[in-house]
Amino acid sequence: MFEDLTPRLWDITGDGLPEVVVIETDMALGGSLAVYDQSGKIAETPHIGRPNRWLAPVGAADFDGDGRIEVAFVDRPHLAKTLRIFEWDGEKLVLDAELDGLTNHRIGEDFISSGVRECGGGPEMVTADADWLDVMVTSFQGGWATRSVGAFSQDRLAAVLRCEG
């Protein structure tokens, strides 16, 4: 079963062509992020382990500069509030990092409050902190690092995604 607001067209394999990225749900195991190309499903992350729990995509890019694409989502944005980063290894998605205290969705909203920006220093993920107090930017600088770039509001989030802060 599929869920979420819309499929995403992201280049996960690094071939310059977009794959279709969706959230799939197993009624017993919860959500997972799945990747499809013209041949069918080519990869998926592990299910989050429980029904009635979901994940909220952030984006995909070569965040760590190693030539392979990473895809990121927030696992259970209302409960666990964990940013999970998976890397495409040429055959599957492999967990690369887990960062606690980040979220991108509030109950009742019909949109995701996150994205990827490129402001000249490599791609960065933009989310909120777990309490919705700050806009957070996560990047790779020899290791994964997250920093606040100001108080959270939808306008501030949009400005940060446009590289205006």
Side-chain angles (χ1 to χ4, degrees), residues 13 15 17-21 34-43 88:
T13 61
D15 63 1
L17 301 172
E19 283 72 43
V20 179
V21 180
V35 180
Y36 288 81
D37 68 8
Q38 66 277 4
S39 67
K41 187 189 303 187
I42 61 169
W88 174 253

Side-chain angles (χ1 to χ4, degrees), residues 80-99:
K81 301 177 183 180
T82 301
L83 179 68
R84 296 197 192 283
I85 304 165
F86 286 80
E87 184 171 79
W88 174 253
D89 74 354
E91 296 180 10
K92 61 188 177 300
L93 293 171
V94 177
L95 183 64
D96 189 57
E98 298 177 307
L99 303 166

Side-chain angles (χ1 to χ4, degrees), residues 40-62:
K41 187 189 303 187
I42 61 169
E44 72 178 317
T45 64
H47 292 272
I48 59 177
R50 292 190 59 189
N52 303 312
R53 303 289 188 264
W54 69 293
L55 55 95
V58 174
D62 180 8

Side-chain angles (χ1 to χ4, degrees), residues 24-144:
E24 291 185 352
T25 297
D26 179 288
M27 294 307 285
L29 300 175
S32 73
L33 187 132
V35 180
Y36 288 81
D37 68 8
Q38 66 277 4
S39 67
K41 187 189 303 187
I42 61 169
E44 72 178 317
T45 64
H47 292 272
I48 59 177
R50 292 190 59 189
N52 303 312
R53 303 289 188 264
W54 69 293
L55 55 95
V58 174
D62 180 8
F63 292 109
D64 60 9
D66 67 357
R68 294 184 299 266
I69 303 295
E70 289 82 30
V71 60
F73 63 82
V74 176
D75 180 350
R76 294 163 287 166
H78 317 117
L79 298 170
K81 301 177 183 180
T82 301
L83 179 68
R84 296 197 192 283
I85 304 165
F86 286 80
E87 184 171 79
W88 174 253
D89 74 354
E91 296 180 10
K92 61 188 177 300
L93 293 171
V94 177
L95 183 64
D96 189 57
E98 298 177 307
L99 303 166
D100 292 329
L102 300 169
T103 192
N104 62 349
H105 185 263
R106 292 190 255 207
I107 293 173
E109 292 181 339
D110 64 352
F111 55 90
I112 304 293
S113 295
S114 63
V116 174
R117 73 178 193 170
E118 170 54 77
C119 302
E124 300 175 305
M125 294 167 265
V126 181
T127 61
D129 75 318
D131 297 318
W132 292 93
L133 298 175
D134 292 310
V135 175
M136 306 298 288
V137 173
T138 301
S139 60
F140 190 85
Q141 304 162 2
W144 294 102

